[in-house]
Every structure is written in C-alpha cells, then in structure tokens.
Amino acid sequence: MKVSVIGAGAWGTALAVLLSQREHQVTLWGHDPNRLEEIRRTQFNESYLPGVPIPSRMRLEPKIQAALANCELAVIAVPSRAFREVTQALAGFQGIAVSVTKGIEKDTGLTMSGILAETAPHAKAGAMSGPTLAAEVARGIPAAIVAAAGDEETALEIQGAFHGPAFRVYTSTDLPGVEFGGALKNIIAIGAGVGDGLGLGDNTKAALMTRAIVEIRRLGVACGARAETFSGLSGLGDLAVTCFSRLSRNRQFGERIGRGERVADILASTVTVAEGYPTAQAAYELARTKGIETPIMEQVYAMLYEEKNVAQALQDLMQRDSKAEHWI
Amino acid sequence: MKVSVIGAGAWGTALAVLLSQREHQVTLWGHDPNRLEEIRRTQFNESYLPGVPIPSRMRLEPKIQAALANCELAVIAVPSRAFREVTQALAGFQGIAVSVTKGIEKDTGLTMSGILAETAPHAKAGAMSGPTLAAEVARGIPAAIVAAAGDEETALEIQGAFHGPAFRVYTSTDLPGVEFGGALKNIIAIGAGVGDGLGLGDNTKAALMTRAIVEIRRLGVACGARAETFSGLSGLGDLAVTCFSRLSRNRQFGERIGRGERVADILASTVTVAEGYPTAQAAYELARTKGIETPIMEQVYAMLYEEKNVAQALQDLMQRDSKAEHWI
C-alpha cells in the first residue's frame, strides 16, 4: 500500500517507522525542508524522536502534493492548530485519510475528522487514538489502539494497514467517541501534572482520573459520542497512561505549572506541542455551548488562560467536589 | 467516638494515625506484643510505615478483647488469610465493623464483609476501599475512598468517622462491588508488575488495565455486585493507582517475577503481604465456579501457582486477545 504520513513530529515519525516495517511504501512529509534534510542525512529525527533509526527506504518529501500523489492512505499527524490549513492539500484526495491528531478546533468545536469532512470531502475519513506514547511504539513495545471511522469498512482498512504483533489495532464506528476521548484526556493530564508539581500523590491522581472520565464522557456524549467508548482503550486507557506516565508531554506541561512556572514561559520554551493547552480552551467553549458541567476541565482552563492560582484552583475543585457525596 | 483498629500493618497504622487526628479515642491492636512495645517506645512503626510519627495519645493494646471493649467502631486491617480467625473476637460485638482488608476467602469465595457476617453476626458490617496507598494517606496527601455497607445509614456512619479535608469519603450501598473491585485489582497489579519487570511500557500497561476492568466487572457482577461500581473510585481508580504507582506492593511483587525471580523466593523474602497472591487463587476458583471468563487473572494465576513461564503467559494472553477484534 502507498502510505503518506503528513507531519514529521514524534507521533508521525513513529507511525512512519512502524508502517515501513509492514509491506508499505511510506512517504513522510514535514513542513520544514531543513528538518527532512537532516533526517535524510543522519537517518534520525533527533529533535522529535531521539534514538529511533529511520529506515533508509522511507521516502522524505518536502512538497505535500508530491507526498500525496498516488497515495492510498494519508495519515495526518500535524498539531491541531495546523490541521485545517495542512489538510487543504487533501481537497481532491480520494483515498483513506486517518487523523492521529488529538484535538478540538476552537472556533467550530470540531474534532479532526470533522475538519477532514470539510477539507477532504472526497476522502474516507477516520481517526486512530489510544494509549500510545510515541517513544514506546517506535521501539516496538506492545501497545493497543483503536481505529475509528463512521463505517466499519473504512475502520477495517485502517486496521489492516497498521495492525501487527506489537501494535494491536481494534476497530470502532464511534468516531466522535474515539476522538473526544483522545482530545479531552490531554486537558486532564495537565491537571494531573499540576498535582505532581505540587507534590500530590498517586492517590490524588487516581481520584482525579476517576472523576475526569465521568466529565469526559458527559461532554463527549453531548457531542454525539457513545458512552461506552469512554470505558475503552481510547477513553480510559489513554487517560490512564497520559496521567501516570513520566513520558506524557501534557502531564509534564502541567508539572511545570504546578512547580510555579508561568504558562507563557513554558509555551515559549518547548518545541513539542502540549495539545491539552489549545484543547482546554476549545473544550471550555464547547461545554458552555452545550451546557455541560466540566469542573476539572474548567479549573485547568482557568489556570491556563486566566492565570488562576494553582492552589486556589485545587481548593475550588475540592470544595465543589465535597457537595457530591455519592459519586463513588 | 471510641475506635479500635485491629491490625498494626501499614494500612491499619495509617488509618489509626488519621483517626487520631479526628475527635476519636483510638486504640491500635496488633498480633505481636513486641511490635506494639516497639511502637510505644519509638513512637514509630518503622517496619510497616516508616517515617510516620505515631501520636502518643493513641492507645496500643496487645489483647484483642481489651481493645474491643466499649468500642463503637472496629476497623479490621489484618491480612485476608488471618481475617476469619482474628474476627472470631467480634462474635459478641454490636458496633460497626468495617473491613479495610482487600481479599477473597479461598474456600468460600466470600469477601471480608462476608466473613464478618459469619464471625460478627451482631455487628453492622461494612468495608472501605479505594485508591489509598498507606504511605500517602499517613502523610496527609489528598485521597478519596468509598465507604460501603448494605444499608445507607451504616455507610454514612463510617463516612462520618473517617471523612476529613484530605481524606474524602464517599458512600455506596454496593458492598460486594466495592469489595470485589478492591480485591481483584491486586491480581491485575501483579500482572502489570510482571510487564514492568519484562521492560514493557506504559502503553502495554494501559491496554492491560482497560481489558482488566472488564473482567473484574464481569466476575464481580456474577457475585452480586453492581456493574457501575467498577467505574468508580473503588474499581477503576484503585486499579489505576495499583498498576501505575511505584509504591504498590502487588505491582512490586509482579515486577520481581517479571525479572525472573521465583515466586517462592519472593514470598520468603518479604515481610508485607501482597494480597494479590492469595486472591489470585481464590478468584481463579470463583471464576470457574461461576463460569466466568477471566483471561488476565488466569494467566497471573498460572504464573503464581503453576510456575508458568512469564513470556509464555504473555504470549498466550496476546494470542487469545487477538481473537477479539472489537473490544476497543
């Protein structure tokens, strides 16, 4: 199969490496020609996925239209804020377009496959999401993920392209459920990281996570998702790994906030994107539009966008929580 | 309130310390008079809960009948294998007896409150369970837990005795649900630890956890629990912390197995009890009796009791898993 991975960050690169190990012809596109040139020269993507050799048979292509020519499967792995712009290039694309970006568009409340429906109207759109830290996947450590599309057939095609002994792909037709789980969990991971930065413990984090899946499910269902999807890999599974793993970027982002760093300084100092940051704003507005209560996401939003004091946010959350005596 | 904590291990001691910070008169009983004497002398329980000062107003009592005399609330925190024998002392007890032990009795399939119904027939029995690592609770790090009893009133009384700003107690009337969640998760934590010992990653663990909560729920429901309880603090929350926290004893136990140590050697070398070990056997028999499929628990059982090779267990689990294409 001719596969193009659009986006040469950590996740795009990891998936391109994985796809190269299957029977696919893989092209990797990145927006920065200098970086692609560096990958070609060193056979490593040292800034984004250090230590993982890039197979020499992988084609590196700086022109997106050239990357997409004759391609049957396009894997979109660009940051959510660039997603709409980049996928304009898929306007005439008729293959399968699968988003592996976890985010919600601020002005529209759309998930990434929702954007694809507008920018790539002739493509068969899907998404893939689950507990899959890029560094582990690139090293062949076992992981499981969900391939979702509105129709079963497309989901199975995506599964067929990616599935392997150490990268197990399951299918779902609940595309919004899979995407909202993946996007919203990043907000919670920032909150979990704040707790780490404050020196709170694993007990606290487990309580946060248990409450959080409830509000993720509530907001997701209001946006058309099926409730049960949030109890699966792409909901609960991804939430757990993002909250607990040292490797999670969103958790690390929150940890720096918890230690007292200013949000603007953290944003200025990191090359990789913590998707929870823009998603917190998009979800905040979506929850208000839909009239859904999301107490944890609201406090994270306030810390990120209203310079709310971290200790105050925690106190407000626990205060509010104390009114619910029966949530188990 | 006059409260007696029966069992001076890590969790019993941590709860006794916490209860001493409320308006309670607290007595701590332990089966070993020498250890109680050492606690009295040093004001620390260094073997089980190092670094946590024991308040001098806490009464230490080596005679269990004396510890229970005039007591209104008895908190049972002994290992599951000693639970039936120790609680014989509650034969005439008419107060509230709350188990904080997580286990299942092998020969009967009973949870700890099920044992209490036989050994302490005049008591109001309940259980308390959730993501609460003893070392964190003893240090006042925020945590949340579920107090469960067959009737709401008893659950509220337990909540009232323990609840505080950093130790938030929620109530449930699904006593089997709360207890099965707490007991069965220890088996999974051993499996998660095996993965750590083998050098598997957080992705693998998240996938394991997501599958595991399904089989925990299935077995629990077959034993009279309510399905939704397993999505709460005492199910999912406790499972997450036990699988991911460095501090979890059951996870540590599994990690040593994953690194190649023999089960018998690990058992011989540890003073604290990894409750997942006996629970794996009890759950294995319970699942067979009830005709419930528990693939993860079965593999853990085989590693623990049938000297099954760790790599083979992992392979068998993934093999079996590959047949289910839609579990998300």
Side-chain angles (χ1 to χ4, degrees):
Chain A
M1 202 178 205
K2 285 192 145 183
V3 182
S4 292
V5 177
I6 304 302
W11 193 210
T13 307
L15 288 174
V17 169
L18 180 139
L19 288 161
S20 297
Q21 293 156 357
R22 312 273 186 271
E23 302 289 304
H24 303 309
Q25 288 173 257
V26 179
T27 301
L28 178 63
W29 172 88
H31 76 285
D32 179 355
N34 296 329
R35 178 138 48 96
L36 290 186
E37 187 47 43
E38 194 186 309
I39 295 174
R40 191 191 321 276
R41 193 167 43 77
T42 62
Q43 293 301 118
F44 282 94
N45 186 352
E46 209 51 37
S47 316
Y48 287 81
L49 197 65
V52 176
I54 308 295
S56 57
R57 67 186 173 281
M58 190 193 297
R59 181 178 150 221
L60 301 161
E61 174 55 65
K63 296 200 184 75
I64 195 162
Q65 288 300 354
L68 290 168
N70 302 316
C71 149
E72 297 158 270
L73 170 67
V75 181
I76 324 295
V78 298
S80 63
R81 61 163 191 268
F83 200 93
R84 182 176 287 274
E85 192 193 328
V86 169
T87 57
Q88 307 288 354
L90 279 80
F93 182 72
Q94 300 194 349
I96 298 171
V98 56
S99 160
V100 296
T101 300
K102 296 170 179 177
I104 301 170
E105 193 175 45
K106 187 167 84 70
D107 296 332
T108 62
L110 289 173
T111 59
M112 298 303 108
S113 78
I115 297 177
L116 278 177
E118 297 182 0
T119 55
H122 310 294
K124 293 188 276 182
M128 211 167 57
S129 189
T132 45
L133 298 160
E136 293 188 2
V137 169
R139 283 170 179 77
I141 296 171
I145 196 167
V146 183
D151 62 297
E152 181 76 20
E153 193 195 335
T154 303
L156 287 168
E157 287 190 72
I158 300 169
Q159 180 187 46
F162 284 93
H163 193 83
F167 190 76
R168 312 182 74 77
V169 185
Y170 298 89
T171 60
S172 168
T173 53
D174 182 12
L175 189 49
V178 168
E179 288 191 284
F180 273 106
L184 297 175
K185 69 99 174 64
N186 283 331
I187 309 170
I188 309 304
I190 293 178
V194 170
D196 287 338
L198 289 170
L200 299 178
D202 291 329
N203 294 343
T204 326
K205 196 180 281 186
L208 179 85
M209 210 194 94
T210 309
R211 300 274 348 218
I213 195 71
V214 177
E215 70 181 66
I216 289 176
R217 182 184 291 120
R218 204 188 293 139
L219 182 55
V221 167
C223 298
R226 296 200 291 265
E228 61 270 27
T229 301
F230 299 95
S231 301
L233 269 181
S234 61
L236 176 58
D238 201 4
L239 178 65
V241 81
T242 321
C243 288
F244 278 97
S245 178
R246 306 299 308 164
L247 297 174
S248 156
R249 288 193 289 221
N250 290 285
R251 197 203 57 74
Q252 287 166 358
F253 184 89
E255 189 168 2
R256 293 177 66 178
I257 298 172
R259 285 196 184 133
E261 286 189 64
R262 285 183 57 244
V263 172
D265 295 339
I266 305 171
L267 289 171
S269 72
T270 40
V271 56
T272 51
V273 182
E275 280 285 5
Y277 177 73
T279 307
Q281 190 174 24
Y284 179 75
E285 294 182 5
L286 198 56
R288 283 162 61 108
T289 308
K290 301 275 180 186
I292 301 295
E293 283 198 36
T294 53
I296 299 172
M297 294 188 216
E298 269 176 33
Q299 294 301 330
V300 174
Y301 171 82
M303 287 188 284
L304 294 177
Y305 290 95
E306 297 172 344
E307 299 193 358
K308 182 162 183 172
N309 176 279
V310 166
Q312 187 64 48
L314 181 71
Q315 202 183 314
D316 287 356
L317 191 60
M318 289 179 74
Q319 198 69 37
R320 176 158 179 172
D321 204 46
S322 70
K323 291 172 197 152
E325 295 289 333
H326 291 86
W327 67 275
I328 50 165
Chain B
M1 203 178 203
K2 285 192 144 180
V3 182
S4 292
V5 178
I6 304 302
W11 193 212
T13 307
L15 288 174
V17 169
L18 180 140
L19 288 161
S20 297
Q21 292 156 355
R22 312 274 186 272
E23 303 289 304
H24 303 308
Q25 289 174 258
V26 178
T27 300
L28 178 62
W29 172 86
H31 77 285
D32 180 355
N34 294 329
R35 177 138 49 96
L36 291 185
E37 187 47 44
E38 194 186 308
I39 296 174
R40 190 191 322 275
R41 192 167 44 79
T42 61
Q43 293 301 117
F44 282 95
N45 185 352
E46 208 52 36
S47 318
Y48 287 81
L49 198 66
V52 176
I54 307 296
S56 57
R57 65 184 174 284
M58 189 193 296
R59 181 178 149 222
L60 300 162
E61 174 56 62
K63 295 201 185 75
I64 194 163
Q65 288 301 351
L68 290 168
N70 301 316
C71 150
E72 296 158 89
L73 171 66
V75 180
I76 323 295
V78 297
S80 63
R81 63 164 190 267
F83 200 93
R84 182 175 287 275
E85 192 193 329
V86 169
T87 56
Q88 306 288 353
L90 278 81
F93 182 72
Q94 301 194 350
I96 297 171
V98 55
S99 160
V100 296
T101 300
K102 297 170 178 176
I104 301 170
E105 193 175 45
K106 186 168 84 71
D107 296 333
T108 61
L110 290 172
T111 59
M112 298 302 108
S113 78
I115 296 177
L116 278 177
E118 297 182 1
T119 55
H122 309 295
K124 292 189 277 182
M128 211 165 59
S129 189
T132 44
L133 298 160
E136 293 188 2
V137 169
R139 284 169 179 78
I141 296 172
I145 197 167
V146 183
D151 62 298
E152 181 76 20
E153 192 195 336
T154 304
L156 288 167
E157 286 189 72
I158 300 168
Q159 180 187 46
F162 283 93
H163 194 82
F167 190 76
R168 313 183 73 78
V169 184
Y170 298 90
T171 60
S172 167
T173 54
D174 183 11
L175 189 50
V178 168
E179 289 191 284
F180 274 105
L184 298 175
K185 70 98 176 63
N186 284 331
I187 307 169
I188 310 303
I190 293 177
V194 170
D196 287 338
L198 288 170
L200 300 178
D202 290 330
N203 294 344
T204 326
K205 197 181 280 186
L208 178 85
M209 210 194 93
T210 310
R211 301 267 358 209
I213 195 70
V214 177
E215 69 181 66
I216 289 176
R217 182 184 291 118
R218 203 187 296 139
L219 183 54
V221 167
C223 297
R226 297 201 290 264
E228 62 269 28
T229 302
F230 298 95
S231 300
L233 270 181
S234 60
L236 177 56
D238 201 4
L239 178 65
V241 81
T242 321
C243 287
F244 278 97
S245 178
R246 305 299 309 164
L247 297 174
S248 155
R249 287 191 290 219
N250 290 285
R251 198 203 55 74
Q252 288 166 357
F253 184 89
E255 191 169 1
R256 293 176 67 177
I257 298 171
R259 286 196 183 133
E261 286 189 65
R262 288 183 55 244
V263 172
D265 295 339
I266 305 171
L267 290 171
S269 72
T270 40
V271 55
T272 52
V273 182
E275 280 285 5
Y277 177 73
T279 307
Q281 190 173 25
Y284 178 76
E285 294 182 3
L286 199 55
R288 283 162 61 108
T289 307
K290 300 275 180 187
I292 301 296
E293 281 198 35
T294 53
I296 300 172
M297 294 188 217
E298 268 175 35
Q299 293 301 331
V300 174
Y301 171 82
M303 287 188 283
L304 294 176
Y305 291 96
E306 296 172 345
E307 300 193 358
K308 182 162 185 172
N309 176 278
V310 166
Q312 187 62 49
L314 181 71
Q315 202 184 313
D316 287 356
L317 191 59
M318 290 180 73
Q319 198 67 38
R320 178 159 179 171
D321 204 45
S322 70
K323 292 173 199 154
E325 295 290 333
H326 291 86
W327 68 276
I328 51 166

